Amino acid sequence: MSTDPPLKELALHNITVRFGGLTALDDVSLRVAPGRIVGVIGPNGAGKTTLFNVICGFVPPTSGHLTLDGQPWRPRPHQLNGLGIARTLQGVGQFGGMSVLENVMVGTRGRRAEAEAMAALTRCGVDRYAGARPGALPYATRKRVELARALVAKPRILMLDEPAGGLDADEIQWLASLIKETGTTVLLVEHHMDLVMSVCDEILVLDFGKPIALGTPEEISKNPRVTDAYLGAAA
Ligand SMILES: Nc1ncnc2c1ncn2[C@@H]1O[C@H](COP(=O)(O)OP(=O)(O)O)[C@@H](O)[C@H]1O
Ligand SMILES: [Mg+2]
């Protein structure tokens, strides 16, 4: 078991990210309080994955900073697990040379690794594929394996980047229940408004990198700027 102090709070303070002339994130602040399910939504290209990558340490902010438990924090990808932060990436990034079970065991350590990996696969409804190669499985099944790999570490903060992408309505329903049941802090980056509306306590809406709204699902669904951003993207 981890002996790290419990995470209290992850926060972004005035984060801006520029890629050359393109501003992917423009002065974004967000507090992810413990136990909360916080969503980040926005049309394609809004900066959701960039925000995710900033927290994972893949993309350094051009300006602004992050804090963990109120302390300035510079995230590094290889330190996330040790801090109790687990993530799934957009798409499915599994190791083709290993079985499903071995892929999930990568997310955990110790004597009980195999039993815990099996339990995570069972929880995600894919234990019967433990011996299979991920590449041979349908996309939705691989997404469940990816979730199992994140959950097996019993993270304090679970970060999900577009977990609903490529899933049908039933799969999304299942995903919504799983997210609500995890009992951990969740940062959910997602394009699907319905999923985010049904599971999140709080939602940040990005449009071309700019934070245009922050509030409860009810507040967000009534916000004309949000509807405009989505209708604008669909047009
Ligand atoms: N590494 C990068 N280099 C250059 N431009 C990037 C990079 N990553 C993202 N972008 C650009 O930043 C914008 C936001 O992208 P992204 O964060 O992936 O949006 P989303 O996940 O909301 O669809 C897009 O215009 C995208 O093309
Ligand atoms: Mg994305």
Side-chain angles (χ1 to χ4, degrees):
M1 284 304 324
S2 169
T3 52
D4 302 317
L7 286 183
K8 298 183 194 82
E9 183 175 285
L10 166 69
L12 285 75
H13 306 267
N14 308 100
I15 295 287
T16 293
V17 172
R18 290 199 186 90
F19 295 114
L22 185 134
T23 304
L25 290 176
D26 192 352
D27 200 16
V28 176
S29 295
L30 179 67
R31 215 170 71 93
V32 183
R36 305 273 284 179
I37 301 179
V38 177
V40 178
I41 60 172
N44 278 328
K48 303 181 298 295
T49 295
T50 302
L51 180 142
F52 196 92
N53 286 341
V54 164
I55 300 173
C56 292
F58 294 145
V59 170
T62 309
S63 61
H65 72 286
L66 293 99
T67 54
L68 197 55
D69 293 345
Q71 301 298 314
W73 177 55
R74 182 177 296 197
R76 309 215 185 266
H78 63 279
Q79 290 174 347
L80 293 178
N81 268 342
L83 290 168
I85 301 174
R87 59 174 194 262
T88 65
L89 301 176
Q90 191 169 1
V92 277
Q94 286 146 17
F95 305 112
M98 306 192 315
S99 70
V100 161
L101 180 65
E102 286 162 344
N103 264 279
V104 175
M105 284 171 69
V106 167
T108 185
R109 275 168 301 203
R111 214 161 32 86
R112 297 205 9 98
E114 186 172 334
E116 284 172 5
M118 273 312 292
L121 286 169
T122 302
R123 187 171 177 198
C124 293
V126 286
D127 46 312
R128 64 184 175 283
Y129 302 112
R133 300 277 152 164
L137 299 172
Y139 185 76
T141 308
R142 277 187 284 158
K143 290 212 94 154
R144 287 180 183 242
V145 172
E146 179 70 7
L147 269 170
R149 189 169 63 152
L151 286 171
V152 75
K154 300 192 178 64
R156 299 190 178 99
I157 301 181
L158 176 63
M159 294 177 51
L160 306 170
D161 190 6
E162 298 216 16
L167 302 187
D168 64 24
D170 286 348
E171 291 277 350
I172 292 175
Q173 197 93 60
W174 168 82
L175 181 64
S177 336
L178 184 86
I179 291 171
K180 282 191 257 191
E181 282 165 16
T182 55
T184 66
T185 308
V186 177
L187 181 72
L188 172 63
V189 170
E190 186 47 69
H191 183 67
H192 262 269
M193 274 249 243
D194 290 352
L195 173 67
V196 170
M197 291 290 169
S198 71
V199 303
C200 290
D201 299 307
E202 201 174 6
I203 299 169
L204 169 70
V205 188
L206 296 176
D207 189 29
F208 293 107
K210 287 195 179 61
I212 58 166
L214 176 68
T216 63
E218 203 190 349
E219 288 163 348
I220 293 300
S221 60
K222 286 182 188 151
N223 187 319
R225 290 190 71 186
V226 177
T227 358
D228 283 353
Y230 270 89
L231 293 175

